[in-house]
Amino acid sequence: MIYCVEDDAGIRELVVYTLQNTGMEARGLEDGSALSAALREKKPQLILLDIMLPGEDGISILRRLRGAQETAGIPVILLTAKNTEYDKVVGLDSGADDYVAKPFGMMELVARIRAVLRRTQAGTDGEEAACPLVAGDICVDERAHSVFVGEQEVQLTLKEYQLLCLLMKNRGAVLTRDVLLENIWGYGNESETRTVDVHIRTLRQKLGTAGSMIETVRGVGYRMGEHA
């Protein structure tokens, strides 16, 4: 199930219609209150969330979702008419997994959704990891989809979790922004590499002192360091 939270009835109905006709189950919701009620009924695979909503705006809703344990891991794609770098950074900084600016093509939106869903399901459909990933004080158990720094569990968004796993699996190797964008978001676009930088920054913040393990290779990309 995909929830589309959009106050414009025309856009909402078109998105729901398109998703249903491409084999996805979808439901349209007009605001944050409707989303809260729907979440009490059923947890979706993904939420499409407009920023400019009546009452509680999309950024506030996103932060509320990320702050609650039961909804923190739900992938969220922001839909908005705002397309400045500042608005994009605010959205990604708040925990969005992707960002699609209006007007957008329906097939592009479907492709973005499928890319996120593939990565959401990858951790459950594949073979279970034989042992946890460890780097310094960071420990990732892919079977439990959990991250610990020392004895403290850390709550990450889906994209932050996937970035951390990819870096840890390639420890010591430099991964370019384009490679990270292609592997985590499913598309490569030089103008979108800021997306990677924003997620790396928030990931470091959540990891606390252990975040220094993620090293910046200036002008190239990032790597998980060999030493804490």
Side-chain angles (χ1 to χ4, degrees):
M1 172 65 75
I2 295 172
Y3 290 160
C4 176
V5 188
E6 166 65 63
D7 63 314
D8 186 311
I11 296 176
R12 184 173 68 243
E13 291 169 8
L14 178 58
V15 169
V16 170
Y17 175 82
T18 300
L19 295 182
Q20 291 175 342
N21 277 272
T22 53
M24 302 182 195
E25 188 178 1
R27 177 179 175 183
L29 305 164
E30 66 274 14
D31 57 25
S33 296
L35 174 63
S36 295
L39 286 170
R40 288 192 290 270
E41 298 174 13
K42 185 174 183 178
K43 184 178 176 180
Q45 293 174 287
L46 181 143
I47 297 173
L48 299 174
L49 180 62
D50 186 31
I51 287 184
M52 302 298 290
L53 292 170
E56 186 179 15
D57 66 82
I59 296 297
S60 297
I61 293 171
L62 176 58
R63 288 171 176 161
R64 177 161 54 82
L65 291 171
R66 291 296 180 245
Q69 185 172 1
E70 62 273 16
T71 57
I74 300 175
V76 175
I77 297 177
L78 291 179
L79 306 177
T80 177
K82 291 190 172 184
N83 196 26
T84 67
E85 182 180 20
Y86 173 78
D87 292 316
K88 181 179 291 190
V89 169
V90 169
L92 295 173
D93 228 1
S94 299
D97 295 280
D98 206 348
Y99 186 109
V100 181
K102 301 176 185 176
F104 49 80
M106 287 296 117
M107 289 304 98
E108 177 193 0
L109 179 61
V110 169
R112 294 286 187 96
I113 291 171
R114 284 176 173 163
V116 171
L117 291 178
R118 280 197 301 271
R119 285 155 180 78
T120 305
Q121 296 162 0
T124 57
D125 292 342
E127 183 180 349
E128 288 189 344
C131 59
L133 302 171
V134 178
D137 290 334
I138 306 169
C139 179
V140 177
D141 186 341
E142 293 184 281
R143 293 169 298 181
H145 202 84
S146 62
V147 178
F148 282 83
V149 175
E151 297 182 356
Q152 181 67 44
E153 185 170 11
V154 179
Q155 297 296 326
L156 302 179
T157 67
L158 174 64
K159 288 292 184 286
E160 292 164 353
Y161 174 82
Q162 292 171 339
L163 271 173
L164 180 60
C165 288
L166 188 59
L167 287 166
M168 292 182 73
K169 288 176 180 177
N170 294 276
R171 190 172 181 184
V174 179
L175 301 181
T176 68
R177 290 173 174 83
D178 286 338
V179 166
L180 292 171
L181 196 63
E182 179 65 35
N183 279 271
I184 304 302
W185 281 266
Y187 59 90
N189 187 329
E190 187 175 344
S191 66
E192 296 290 339
T193 54
R194 174 64 176 164
T195 298
V196 176
D197 296 335
V198 170
H199 278 77
I200 289 289
R201 185 173 73 243
T202 57
L203 175 58
R204 283 170 169 161
Q205 291 171 348
K206 291 182 179 182
L207 294 175
T209 56
S212 62
M213 288 285 295
I214 301 175
E215 301 172 352
T216 300
V217 181
R218 194 170 300 279
V220 182
Y222 300 94
R223 70 179 166 208
M224 180 63 68
E226 293 286 357
H227 304 287

